[in-house]
Amino acid sequence: MKKPYLWIILAGILWGTSGVFVRWLTPYGFTSFPLTAFRGGIAFLSIAGYCLLRERSAFRIRKAQWLLFLGIGITQFATAACYFFCMQLTSVATAVVLMCTAPVYVVLFSVLVAKEPLSLPKGIAIGGMLLGCVLVSGLIDGAVFHGWGIAVGVLSGISKGSYSLLVKKALKQGSSPLSPVLCGSLFMWLLALPSIRWPIVGAAVSQAPFSVLPLLLGLGLVTFVFPFFLYAKGLRRMEAGTASTLSVVEPMAAALFSVAIFQEPPGLLQTVGIILILLSILLLGRSDKNNT
């Protein structure tokens, strides 16, 4: 296997481990917002350190871009917070699949707002994702249905799609590829920081320091910093459409972790829904590749 493909696949697997860290930290009293704060803080400090040493241009944001980067920061924060909250309310597989519906919202924006034509493959992909979401939610087969969990899961997908659109605009304006990530991780940290209850954190660390501290560190590094650099490295030597197609590894890995580690097997119709969403992501990726 070519190295760029390996880097993209490995990035997807690492992104897919988010549910593992969230589920292991939840029993210690960590909720979605504090987890978002720790993930953002560790990621920001790590990436800022790298930028200081290797790419200081990432800190340069023009005045005219402040509002744009505010949007990037808020959508990155909302994506992480809603994603983690959905995990805690439903299952890891459900949360990651709902978040990965982000491309459908990007397509809808492009069609409804940017007035781009809707091709047949993209139309089929949108239909497949919407049907997949209904099946994953458990509405049809009578599985355990958590309305708030599904709602925040869908919101995480909308936020991620919005983040992608804003980042694309920033890159077109000549910003460093690291600037959106730096800004997004900073906002994740600052907006969620007030939610941290330090007595709870102190009690958790005192109770199991060799479990809690590595898990918090891994939440920032393993699920954010490392996969970002791996994905960026692979993307330099690969078409964006191909990389987008390979990113389907993330929900597949998360679903496998959900079943193997937490014994959360989806029902029959939920499995069909997950497969529909994954196929729709692949179809969108192929469509984007053909358009480039």
Side-chain angles (χ1 to χ4, degrees):
M1 182 182 290
K2 295 180 180 178
K3 282 186 177 180
Y5 286 80
L6 187 61
W7 291 326
I8 297 291
I9 290 171
L10 184 55
I13 293 172
L14 291 180
W15 272 318
T17 63
S18 295
V20 176
F21 288 93
V22 171
R23 279 300 171 89
W24 281 345
L25 283 164
T26 297
Y28 293 104
F30 290 95
T31 55
S32 60
F33 273 38
L35 288 174
T36 301
F38 279 107
R39 188 194 199 201
I42 292 166
F44 172 74
L45 294 174
S46 302
I47 296 171
Y50 173 85
C51 291
L52 281 171
L53 294 173
R54 301 290 298 273
E55 193 169 338
R56 295 190 178 184
S57 61
F59 294 102
R60 299 190 195 110
I61 298 175
R62 299 189 301 274
K63 265 189 178 182
Q65 292 180 303
W66 284 1
L67 194 58
L68 173 62
F69 275 85
L70 177 63
I72 288 173
I74 291 173
T75 52
Q76 177 73 85
F77 160 75
T79 301
C82 292
Y83 179 39
F84 293 163
F85 192 32
C86 184
M87 279 183 197
Q88 294 176 325
L89 292 177
T90 59
S91 69
V92 173
T94 299
V96 72
V97 167
L98 291 177
M99 184 189 68
C100 286
T101 58
V104 77
Y105 306 115
V106 174
V107 171
L108 286 173
F109 177 87
S110 300
V111 172
L112 298 176
V113 180
K115 305 301 181 183
E116 293 181 6
L118 178 63
S119 65
L120 181 60
K122 288 184 177 181
I124 294 172
I126 289 174
M129 281 195 178
L130 292 176
L131 178 57
C133 285
V134 172
L135 294 175
V136 166
S137 72
L139 271 174
I140 293 179
D141 62 352
V144 176
F145 175 72
H146 198 299
W148 277 112
I150 300 300
V152 295
V154 170
L155 188 56
S156 72
I158 294 172
S159 299
K160 186 177 181 181
S162 303
Y163 172 80
S164 300
L165 289 169
L166 294 173
V167 168
K168 187 176 180 180
K169 185 173 182 179
L171 295 179
K172 281 185 176 179
Q173 293 179 355
S175 296
S176 163
L178 282 166
S179 296
V181 184
L182 196 63
C183 179
S185 57
L186 176 62
F187 270 78
M188 265 201 294
W189 182 20
L190 295 181
L191 291 177
L193 190 60
S195 69
I196 296 179
R197 300 294 178 262
W198 293 107
I200 294 177
V201 176
V205 172
S206 299
Q207 179 186 346
F210 297 108
S211 295
V212 173
L213 291 177
L215 285 172
L216 288 173
L217 192 63
L219 184 66
L221 296 178
V222 177
T223 76
F224 194 99
V225 178
F226 295 160
F228 166 74
F229 282 109
L230 284 168
Y231 191 85
K233 190 173 184 180
L235 196 58
R236 290 192 197 105
R237 297 168 61 183
M238 184 185 298
E239 291 180 354
T242 304
S244 176
T245 301
L246 288 175
S247 67
V248 76
V249 169
E250 178 185 356
M252 290 174 64
L256 288 174
F257 290 140
S258 178
V259 174
I261 300 176
F262 305 113
Q263 286 76 52
E264 296 177 341
L268 176 60
L269 289 183
Q270 288 176 311
T271 302
V272 173
I274 290 172
I275 293 171
L276 263 177
I277 291 172
L278 296 181
L279 290 175
S280 299
I281 294 170
L282 286 171
L283 184 58
L284 277 178
R286 296 297 299 179
S287 178
D288 287 340
K289 181 180 177 181
N290 292 335
N291 290 334
T292 56

